[in-house]
Amino acid sequence: MRIKLSPLAISISLALLASHAVSAAETETDSAELESITVTASADASAEGLSPKFAGGQVAEGGRAGILGTKDNLDTPFSITSYTNEFIQDRQARSVGEVLQNDPTVRVARGFGNFQESYFIRGFILNSDDIAYNGLYSLLPRQYIATELFERVEVLRGASSFLTGANPNGGGIGGAINLLPKRAPNYDLNRVTVGFDSGSQANVSADVARRFGENDEFGVRVNAAHRNGGTSVDDEESELNLFNVGLDWQGDRLRLSADMGYQNHQLDETRTNVTVSGLSDIPSAPDASDNWAQPWSYSNEKNYFGTFRAEYDLNDNVTAWAAYGMRRSDEANSLANIEITDAESGDGLMGRFDNTREDRVDTGEFGFSGNFNTGSIGHDWVVAYSYFQLEKKNAYIGEFGDGEFATNLYNPQYIDQPAFLFGNGTFSGNELDSPSLNARTKFNSFAIGDTLSFFNDQILLTLGARHQSIKVEDYAYNTSERTFYEESEITPSVGIVFKLTNQVSLYSNYIESLRQGESVDTGLGYLESLEPYVAEQYEVGLKYQTDTLGLGLAYFTTDKPRAINNNGVVEQSGEDQHQGVELTMYGMATDDVKLLGGVTWLDAEQKDTGDETFDGNRVIGVAEWQATIGAEWEIPTVAGLAVDSRVNYTGSRYADAANTLKVDDWTTVDIGARYLLQLGNQDLTLRARVNNLFDRDYWASVGGYEGQGYLVLGAPRTVTLSATMDF
């Protein structure tokens, strides 16, 4: 266990202060009755509710900074953006990835081997099963999360182990994503949406909410959705069925919330990744609508999940909370990824690969928070414990060598589903019909923090640390031979905010990201896992925010240790150093024009790798420049009409660590329109959108799994139409 003396001393001091605050807190007093007009949507069962929308309604005024709770942008030493449900609807986003296409600091990729969404944040990969739901990790569907399931998408940029705990699946070094569930508002909600996408995909969804009780203290919100049909890619089809219930109860001192959900997502003949290892050039991007997937390929995922959260005011200064969440999921697929053997001609090989998986997630947390003063110094303190367990069952069978068949990227060859040969080229693990336990991950952590305020809140100093234990058990395929490790680590954090004026804040932070050890191929027929390691981040920034417009400027540097195979001995050697500058903007440029976006410069360098071929090279899949600029114009001469546009740019990237396979940059343009009209007492909103307006053919991402340089082709021009009735 690595202990840093200064942060540890700070943590002990904070613990003593927190204990003093609890013992000295005033006895419980009666509070005013809750009136229905004061009830607000509270995704996390907190008294404060959601952060209010900022001018323009596209983002919120702040977001959740982990265990520190919801903070305004100018008051936190971290960079957070919270995208609202209003914005999600207006952009007709279907998934978390489609929401984050609007973020200039994030690029959407695809996970390894399947169709899981992945996200590059500050150049580090975060997979969709590492997303938090209301502060708890890995509760929502692992591969694809539909937008009907959440109210907001919050992006916390940078390391966050003190704030959120270590990410259970190894991501999170560059940032965290938290989704907030939907809650019943103050008014009766009856909303039905019908839509149609190019490629013949139709969709329908319903969003209904009510509040009950003498003071509207009990809320119910139900969401259901169905999508089915083809996509804009040839012969590709998908189907989604979703149902979710969100409950909340708000009393004088006690607040409760719960969510129960189901999502079934099925993909047929979905276009696969493109493997380019061993090539000397990158193949040209095919036509964006082409599909080389085999007609028998599919990927199905079914998920059941639920959460419960409670918060109770022990007195006017101390609040206790507790939460529990679970997920049960089943996956099955039959795939055939393409491996290119000749970049110029597009010739390649495919081999059938089938996989089944079952996940069982249980997680929870409880804690205390409060405030007190020592003289002129204010304290907002928090103490929290969290627990996470994932049990994963897996099985697979695939073909190499004689079991592979020829195809071509530009002229695909389609065959009937081949039978497995069970020869020298067949590889398998466990039984597909009954997958066996493959891994068990257990995390336990204890965190303590305090935000000290000086000079009437002009200076805010946040100090904290988290002690986290990680236990990982791996069970070998076929033999179930068990290997495991159990380690613990303390990750401190220090952040400071100087509020120069009511509109300008300077901030700085030091924070770490704890990650479970990587598994590396020894070349001797087995994998070897390293001990957990820590990535360190330093960040300084400037925030400017008026009543209508916000700007952010941040410089950061993050060092992540690397793992290598040194003649069969797995060890840590060298690091990936990511340093960058982020410029973000949001709000209203004029009374009629909304802005959202920014620019990111990122230098992601491999250092001291032990191989001169790699030293100084860029990290796979990370562009030096990327930008997203979005604007919306509410046309003043036509009531209810708004038009918008978005430009996305991603610079060139490399598909290999040696930086010999350079992938071209790309730019896409998207446009949309929205028209709101009243039909009697009902509101009807018509929306139209065209993504990739000029039908650009491009490699949208390079790798969505660390160390892998496979390519994902960008979607073709896609038209989306929808009508929403509120009644």
Side-chain angles (χ1 to χ4, degrees), residues 276-279 282 562-564 575-576 604-622 653-663 702-703 705-710:
V276 293
S277 57
L279 300 181
I282 293 293
R562 292 170 56 96
I564 65 169
E575 63 186 14
D576 289 342
E605 181 183 349
Q606 305 173 60
K607 299 183 65 176
D608 302 323
T609 64
D611 188 334
E612 293 182 356
T613 304
F614 303 144
D615 283 347
N617 290 349
R618 294 187 60 80
V619 175
I620 290 175
V622 181
R653 300 133 291 161
Y654 288 100
D656 64 330
N659 285 188
T660 60
L661 298 176
K662 187 175 184 179
V663 182
V702 181
Y705 188 86
E706 195 167 312
Q708 301 292 328
Y710 53 84

Side-chain angles (χ1 to χ4, degrees), residues 50-107:
L50 293 173
S51 177
K53 295 179 182 177
F54 190 67
Q58 297 183 327
V59 300
E61 293 181 0
R64 182 169 179 168
I67 60 170
L68 299 181
T70 300
K71 301 292 183 183
D72 289 342
N73 281 331
L74 295 181
D75 294 338
T76 177
F78 307 102
S79 178
I80 305 172
T81 299
S82 180
Y83 297 94
T84 66
N85 189 256
E86 174 186 337
F87 177 71
I88 294 168
Q89 290 184 72
D90 286 343
R91 295 302 177 269
Q92 301 190 78
R94 299 282 189 254
S95 69
V96 175
E98 291 187 20
V99 177
L100 295 180
Q101 287 175 354
N102 297 278
D103 195 301
T105 69
V106 180
R107 282 299 177 261

Side-chain angles (χ1 to χ4, degrees), residues 104 107 598-600 625-629 647-650:
R107 282 299 177 261
V599 179
T600 297
W625 288 97
Q626 60 190 46
T628 300
I629 307 296
V647 177
N648 280 324
Y649 170 78
T650 298

Side-chain angles (χ1 to χ4, degrees), residues 581-593:
V581 177
E582 297 166 341
L583 174 63
T584 55
M585 62 179 179
Y586 52 92
M588 305 287 295
T590 70
D591 291 341
D592 305 317
V593 177

Side-chain angles (χ1 to χ4, degrees), residues 15-195:
L16 294 174
L17 290 171
S19 175
H20 170 73
V22 173
S23 64
E26 297 178 0
T27 58
E28 183 175 334
T29 59
D30 293 332
S31 60
E33 272 193 3
L34 183 68
E35 298 179 0
S36 61
I37 196 171
T38 63
V39 174
T40 57
S42 179
D44 55 356
S46 68
E48 59 193 3
L50 293 173
S51 177
K53 295 179 182 177
F54 190 67
Q58 297 183 327
V59 300
E61 293 181 0
R64 182 169 179 168
I67 60 170
L68 299 181
T70 300
K71 301 292 183 183
D72 289 342
N73 281 331
L74 295 181
D75 294 338
T76 177
F78 307 102
S79 178
I80 305 172
T81 299
S82 180
Y83 297 94
T84 66
N85 189 256
E86 174 186 337
F87 177 71
I88 294 168
Q89 290 184 72
D90 286 343
R91 295 302 177 269
Q92 301 190 78
R94 299 282 189 254
S95 69
V96 175
E98 291 187 20
V99 177
L100 295 180
Q101 287 175 354
N102 297 278
D103 195 301
T105 69
V106 180
R107 282 299 177 261
V108 180
R110 182 188 285 171
F112 182 66
N114 214 331
F115 306 110
Q116 180 182 44
E117 285 190 345
S118 297
Y119 321 95
F120 281 98
I121 308 178
R122 293 187 170 178
F124 296 102
I125 297 170
L126 178 78
N127 290 319
S128 54
D129 53 354
D130 283 334
I131 286 178
Y133 186 50
N134 209 1
L136 298 178
Y137 281 125
S138 199
L139 292 183
L140 291 180
R142 193 178 77 88
Q143 300 274 351
Y144 177 92
I145 306 173
T147 52
E148 289 86 357
L149 290 173
F150 50 83
E151 178 73 23
R152 290 188 179 172
V153 178
E154 297 186 326
V155 180
L156 171 61
R157 301 176 184 90
S160 62
S161 285
F162 158 64
L163 299 171
T164 63
N167 201 294
N169 293 285
I173 293 177
I177 298 172
N178 183 46
L179 307 181
L180 295 180
K182 294 180 176 180
R183 294 287 176 255
N186 274 340
Y187 53 88
D188 290 350
L189 175 65
N190 302 285
R191 176 175 296 154
V192 175
T193 300
V194 295

Side-chain angles (χ1 to χ4, degrees), residues 460-628:
L460 303 173
L461 175 64
T462 299
L463 305 172
R466 183 182 293 267
H467 177 271
Q468 181 124 21
S469 65
I470 298 177
K471 182 178 181 180
V472 177
E473 300 172 90
D474 291 317
Y475 295 84
Y477 288 100
N478 300 319
T479 66
S480 294
E481 181 179 351
R482 174 178 176 264
T483 59
F484 78 98
Y485 69 81
E486 186 171 6
E487 299 290 340
S488 61
E489 194 79 31
I490 292 178
T491 52
S493 178
V494 178
I496 190 167
V497 175
F498 296 93
K499 300 179 75 172
L500 302 181
T501 70
N502 291 333
Q503 298 178 339
V504 180
S505 289
L506 291 173
Y507 74 92
S508 179
N509 68 62
Y510 169 81
I511 191 168
E512 298 179 346
S513 182
L514 176 62
R515 175 173 175 174
Q516 61 178 283
E518 297 178 54
S519 296
V520 180
D521 190 347
T522 62
L524 302 175
Y526 63 92
L527 300 178
E528 184 173 326
S529 296
L530 295 173
E531 294 182 358
Y533 62 82
V534 166
E536 299 180 326
Q537 172 191 287
Y538 296 88
E539 181 178 354
V540 295
L542 171 70
K543 298 177 183 179
Y544 169 77
Q545 187 170 289
T546 67
D547 291 337
T548 58
L549 185 65
L551 299 172
L553 180 65
Y555 167 78
F556 64 88
T557 178
T558 306
D559 296 334
K560 183 191 81 69
R562 292 170 56 96
I564 65 169
N565 177 2
N566 185 11
N567 295 321
V569 178
V570 178
E571 58 187 25
Q572 289 186 356
S573 177
E575 63 186 14
D576 289 342
Q577 183 182 75
H578 294 218
Q579 60 177 332
V581 177
E582 297 166 341
L583 174 63
T584 55
M585 62 179 179
Y586 52 92
M588 305 287 295
T590 70
D591 291 341
D592 305 317
V593 177
K594 304 175 185 179
L595 296 178
L596 182 66
V599 179
T600 297
W601 170 79
L602 185 57
D603 180 25
E605 181 183 349
Q606 305 173 60
K607 299 183 65 176
D608 302 323
T609 64
D611 188 334
E612 293 182 356
T613 304
F614 303 144
D615 283 347
N617 290 349
R618 294 187 60 80
V619 175
I620 290 175
V622 181
E624 183 177 9
W625 288 97
Q626 60 190 46
T628 300

Side-chain angles (χ1 to χ4, degrees), residues 92 98 123 191 204 228 306 314 363-364 405 410 442 461 465 520 536 621:
Q92 301 190 78
E98 291 187 20
R191 176 175 296 154
V204 59
N228 194 15
L314 299 176
T363 182
F405 51 92
Y410 310 111
K442 292 182 179 180
L461 175 64
V520 180
E536 299 180 326

Side-chain angles (χ1 to χ4, degrees), residues 182-385:
K182 294 180 176 180
R183 294 287 176 255
N186 274 340
Y187 53 88
D188 290 350
L189 175 65
N190 302 285
R191 176 175 296 154
V192 175
T193 300
V194 295
F196 183 85
D197 295 358
S198 56
S200 77
Q201 179 151 127
N203 62 83
V204 59
S205 64
D207 189 356
V208 179
R210 294 289 188 276
R211 298 208 73 86
F212 303 95
E214 183 178 353
N215 297 301
D216 286 347
E217 59 268 25
F218 179 57
V220 180
R221 189 162 181 176
V222 177
N223 279 266
H226 172 72
R227 308 178 203 158
N228 194 15
T231 74
S232 54
V233 175
D234 295 342
D235 300 320
E236 187 178 270
E237 294 189 355
S238 68
E239 180 177 354
L240 176 87
N241 292 287
L242 175 151
F243 183 81
N244 187 72
V245 178
L247 308 173
D248 72 282
W249 189 85
Q250 301 185 37
D252 293 343
R253 290 189 175 274
L254 177 66
R255 293 164 294 277
L256 305 173
S257 69
D259 297 275
M260 296 167 286
Y262 163 81
Q263 179 182 290
N264 189 345
H265 190 217
Q266 301 182 14
L267 303 173
D268 290 310
E269 203 170 344
T270 299
R271 191 166 60 193
T272 64
N273 306 331
V274 176
T275 301
V276 293
S277 57
L279 300 181
S280 57
D281 294 296
I282 293 293
S284 299
D287 187 284
S289 61
D290 284 354
N291 191 358
W292 50 83
Q294 292 299 311
W296 40 265
S297 62
Y298 72 92
S299 180
N300 297 338
E301 180 192 24
K302 184 186 298 183
N303 292 266
Y304 301 89
F305 54 90
T307 67
F308 174 78
R309 185 175 289 270
E311 183 179 277
Y312 184 75
D313 298 330
L314 299 176
N315 54 52
D316 291 343
N317 300 101
V318 180
T319 297
W321 84 87
Y324 166 75
M326 55 76 67
R327 172 171 62 90
R328 307 291 184 260
S329 64
D330 298 289
E331 299 175 31
N333 56 68
S334 185
L335 307 172
N337 286 357
I338 181 171
E339 180 179 359
I340 302 301
T341 56
D342 187 287
E344 184 174 352
S345 68
D347 287 343
L349 296 172
M350 280 184 165
R352 179 181 169 187
F353 178 85
D354 289 10
N355 175 263
T356 57
R357 172 169 169 155
E358 298 176 6
D359 278 8
R360 182 184 180 95
V361 173
D362 293 276
T363 182
E365 65 176 3
F366 68 85
F368 300 87
S369 62
N371 58 80
F372 66 95
N373 294 322
T374 54
S376 61
I377 302 174
H379 298 265
D380 285 327
W381 58 270
V382 62
V383 179
Y385 168 81

